[in-house]
Amino acid sequence: MIVLLGILSAFSFGVGDFLARFSSQEVGFKNSLFWMLIVGAIFYIILFSFFGNGLNPNSIGLSNSFLSGILIMFGLLCLYRGLQMGPVSIVAPITAINPLFVFLIRFALGSEPTFFQWVATLIIIAGAILVSLSADSHQQSLGLNKKQIKESVVVSFMASAMLALGLIFSQEASNTLDPLETVIYIRFFSLLGIASLLLISKSKIFITKKAIPILFFQGILETTGYFCLVFAYTFDKVSIAVVISSGFGLVTVILARLILKEKISKIQGSGILLTFLGVIGLTI
């Protein structure tokens, strides 16, 4: 059951992120995130009505949920910007190293990692460096210049770091709230954050007919990924589902190779492999 939830989570996140490339190019990365969260919120409330146990908020849980929601919102905003520009096969694996940042932050806060975790950390760093160095190989195939490639790499690392911080605060929130309930608050604050950002920046909120089906499935898939992961967490606090779900970036890379025909060099392929092996090692 838990293994299946992990596989569903990885698949849902991976395909959802892949769809985000198309919706971001159609309506812009800010609008893509806004509408994805709208669809996701409606779908999650439906799921919660069947599987949840009601709302029992408390100040500590809400505070951590607020911080988590805002950080995840900015993390997804950076991810969508990177996916909008491409290359997807560079953005996805770099963003997927967020367990590395979780590990480093936990270490800074006093946790005592094992030798195996340090080895996994070095493997992830080596993989991320290889992926970053291989980014220039996409200039000709995607028609991108060095500045655009560099921006994609930078926003991918920013997305990874902010998603990691958001994950830490979500874990803290789950210590005082029911995990399924926690997601409602986190999603609400993420939606509130992107809506406020759109209003402050005076960005036009719009949607096109072409984007509607993409955003519908994108919102359903992203929410399904979170639901499966959190639902597994209710069974097992140190769940194998977390390890399996970390392969979402690999799903996105495979789709980029098969559908977008993005070329993956030997250096990039080695970096991607090292990155995901390291992430699995770190989350075991």
Side-chain angles (χ1 to χ4, degrees):
M1 177 67 174
I2 294 177
V3 172
L4 179 60
L5 288 170
I7 293 172
L8 286 173
S9 180
F11 177 80
S12 299
F13 280 138
V15 178
D17 287 347
F18 182 71
L19 291 177
R21 172 178 173 81
F22 300 101
S23 62
S24 294
Q25 290 182 332
E26 180 68 17
V27 298
F29 67 102
K30 294 178 184 177
N31 273 296
S32 174
L33 179 57
F34 174 75
W35 291 112
M36 183 280 285
L37 288 172
I38 289 286
V39 174
I42 296 171
F43 182 56
Y44 192 82
I45 289 173
I46 294 173
L47 290 175
F48 187 78
S49 66
F50 286 99
F51 298 97
N53 296 313
L55 300 178
N56 298 287
N58 59 71
S59 58
I60 296 176
L62 287 176
S63 298
N64 284 318
S65 295
F66 170 76
L67 292 171
S68 176
I70 297 302
L71 286 164
I72 288 175
M73 182 274 291
F74 278 114
L76 289 175
L77 207 58
C78 288
L79 171 60
Y80 282 19
R81 174 56 176 162
L83 291 170
Q84 179 187 37
M85 294 185 297
V88 175
S89 57
I90 294 291
V91 175
I94 292 178
T95 303
I97 67 170
N98 62 83
L100 168 64
F101 290 102
V102 172
F103 167 77
L104 293 176
I105 293 167
R106 291 293 189 190
F107 173 68
L109 293 175
S111 68
E112 298 181 359
T114 64
F115 174 75
F116 184 76
Q117 288 177 316
W118 280 118
V119 172
T121 298
L122 294 176
I123 291 174
I124 293 173
I125 292 172
I129 290 173
L130 289 177
V131 171
S132 301
L133 291 175
S134 68
D136 287 342
S137 65
H138 291 270
Q139 286 187 67
Q140 289 186 337
S141 61
L142 297 179
L144 300 173
N145 56 46
K146 284 190 175 182
K147 183 179 180 181
Q148 291 172 314
I149 292 287
K150 182 179 179 181
E151 183 179 348
S152 288
V153 172
V154 170
V155 296
S156 299
F157 277 108
M158 290 174 62
S160 185
M162 282 187 276
L163 288 172
L165 283 168
L167 178 60
I168 288 174
F169 281 110
S170 71
Q171 290 171 340
E172 293 300 318
S174 295
N175 290 332
T176 58
L177 295 168
D178 178 79
L180 293 175
E181 177 187 357
T182 303
V183 177
I184 284 187
Y185 302 133
I186 291 173
R187 285 292 186 164
F188 169 76
F189 289 124
S190 290
L191 180 56
L192 182 64
I194 186 61
S196 301
L197 187 63
L198 285 167
L199 291 173
I200 292 171
S201 63
K202 297 181 179 179
S203 299
K204 182 181 178 182
I205 300 175
F206 71 98
I207 191 170
T208 64
K209 288 183 178 180
K210 183 179 178 181
I212 290 175
I214 299 173
L215 287 165
F216 174 78
F217 287 109
Q218 184 182 329
I220 296 296
L221 286 165
E222 288 281 354
T223 303
T224 300
Y226 274 108
F227 176 78
C228 289
L229 195 58
V230 174
F231 198 57
Y233 189 74
T234 61
F235 289 107
D236 182 9
K237 297 294 184 182
V238 188
S239 178
I240 189 65
V242 176
V243 180
I244 298 172
S245 69
S246 64
F248 73 91
L250 186 58
V251 175
T252 308
V253 169
I254 292 173
L255 290 172
R257 179 70 184 91
L258 295 176
I259 298 176
L260 299 179
K261 306 300 181 183
E262 288 191 5
K263 295 180 180 179
I264 299 177
S265 65
K266 290 182 179 180
I267 294 177
Q268 183 183 349
S270 299
I272 291 172
L273 179 61
L274 287 174
T275 296
F276 287 110
L277 287 176
V279 167
I280 291 172
L282 198 60
T283 50
I284 289 178

